[in-house]
Amino acid sequence: MSGLSENRSLLILHATVFVWGFTGILGALISIPSVQLVWYRVLIAFITLYIYFKATGTSLQVSREAFFKLFFTGAIVGGHWILFFQSIKLSTVSVGLVCLSSLTLFTAILEPLMKKTRISGIEILTGLMIITGIYMIFKFETRYTSGIICGLLAAFCGSLFSIINSKQVQNRPAPIISFYELIGAFVWISVYLYYQDGFDASMKLNLPDLTYLLILGTICTSVAYVAGVSVMKQLSAFRVALITNLEPIYGIALAFLFFGKKEAMTAGFYAGATILMASIFLYPYVKNTALKRKQARHARQS
């Protein structure tokens, strides 16, 4: 029975990662600017989550201190999404997704700094491989420099709020964290749009934009997030991390399906992307193997 449960969780996780990969396609299809796009996304997502919490009788109560922490983290979440969609609009879905994969590099550097621990040799080696991949992408895709920079900044923000959330999730459920961060993102983006006179004609939605935004806000954000959290009861963090790394691959495959030749890149881009993706896949495997050896060594010594 547990085997069936695990297989079901694996299927749900792959479907969730596939859906996450689809967000890049929707970002390219939606015609409104990135900031307005994310404003609608967070609005739809937190309304959907609120309905879900009410339907399941989930308590939304958190301390004032926790609320403000999550509220301010929401600014980073909003910045991450805006930069990601801006990267796609300035380049292509493939470029945006591959640059977002550098999140592993930023996490390997930022997490030890924020938690005041030592950076391991594995993380340094992985970081060097990722930097090599990014350098090759920069070198061969100079026409997309602005898009690449936005993609890397999106990865930096994504890494930052992931590290913050890794601490928050020890004290409260992940969907609650997401809900209050979405509220924070909505408020901060609204303030930005107000002072930039962004609540103008650019907010107007046509029918295709509205349809894509509803899919993005509900299925690709709220539903996918809840599903992604639920599988963690059955699957190890290592397995989840490994499968999540498939997101850019699913996304790039979908981009070719939807946009064809527009997504075609130089051979140098694919070489750099291969190095970057290989390092991302190898990182959790090598780290997990090293951890098991260390545990085995301690067991023998004791």
Side-chain angles (χ1 to χ4, degrees), residues 39-40 42-43 46 74 181-191:
W39 186 86
Y40 279 115
V42 293
L43 174 64
F46 84 67
E181 286 179 350
L182 285 169
I183 290 174
F186 178 75
V187 171
W188 289 113
I189 295 168
S190 297
V191 169

Side-chain angles (χ1 to χ4, degrees), residues 60-244:
L60 293 170
Q61 193 172 358
V62 293
S63 67
R64 184 178 290 185
E65 184 190 359
F67 171 79
F68 280 111
K69 279 182 181 176
L70 297 172
F71 183 79
F72 284 105
T73 305
I76 305 171
V77 175
H80 161 72
W81 280 337
I82 290 166
L83 287 162
F84 172 61
F85 288 120
Q86 188 63 12
S87 172
I88 287 169
K89 289 182 182 293
L90 291 172
S91 55
T92 67
V93 176
S94 299
V95 170
L97 285 168
V98 168
C99 288
L100 191 64
S101 302
S102 63
L103 189 144
T104 305
L105 168 64
F106 291 114
T107 304
I109 296 166
L110 291 173
E111 192 166 30
L113 289 173
M114 290 173 74
K115 294 185 176 179
K116 295 177 182 177
T117 57
R118 190 171 61 87
I119 300 174
S120 72
I122 296 165
E123 287 164 345
I124 292 167
L125 183 62
T126 305
L128 289 171
M129 285 180 69
I130 292 171
I131 289 166
T132 303
I134 292 168
Y135 170 75
M136 289 182 73
I137 292 167
F138 259 115
K139 186 179 178 182
F140 290 97
E141 296 295 343
T142 50
R143 60 194 164 139
Y144 295 136
T145 298
S146 297
I148 293 167
I149 291 168
C150 283
L152 293 174
L153 288 172
F156 176 82
C157 290
S159 171
L160 199 57
F161 79 73
S162 295
I163 296 164
I164 294 168
N165 283 351
S166 69
K167 190 176 179 182
Q168 290 291 329
V169 83
Q170 305 301 319
N171 307 312
R172 55 194 56 86
I176 299 294
I177 292 169
S178 179
F179 178 73
Y180 284 107
E181 286 179 350
L182 285 169
I183 290 174
F186 178 75
V187 171
W188 289 113
I189 295 168
S190 297
V191 169
Y192 173 82
L193 284 172
Y194 176 78
Y195 282 105
Q196 294 294 317
D197 295 322
F199 290 107
D200 55 12
S202 63
M203 298 290 291
K204 191 175 179 183
L205 300 174
N206 55 38
L207 186 59
D209 280 348
L210 179 60
T211 306
Y212 297 143
L213 278 164
L214 286 170
I215 295 168
L216 180 65
T218 55
I219 297 169
C220 296
T221 308
S222 301
V223 175
Y225 193 89
V226 172
V229 171
S230 69
V231 301
M232 291 177 185
K233 292 175 184 175
Q234 287 289 333
L235 305 175
S236 67
F238 169 72
R239 212 164 184 186
V240 171
L242 205 61
I243 294 167
T244 303

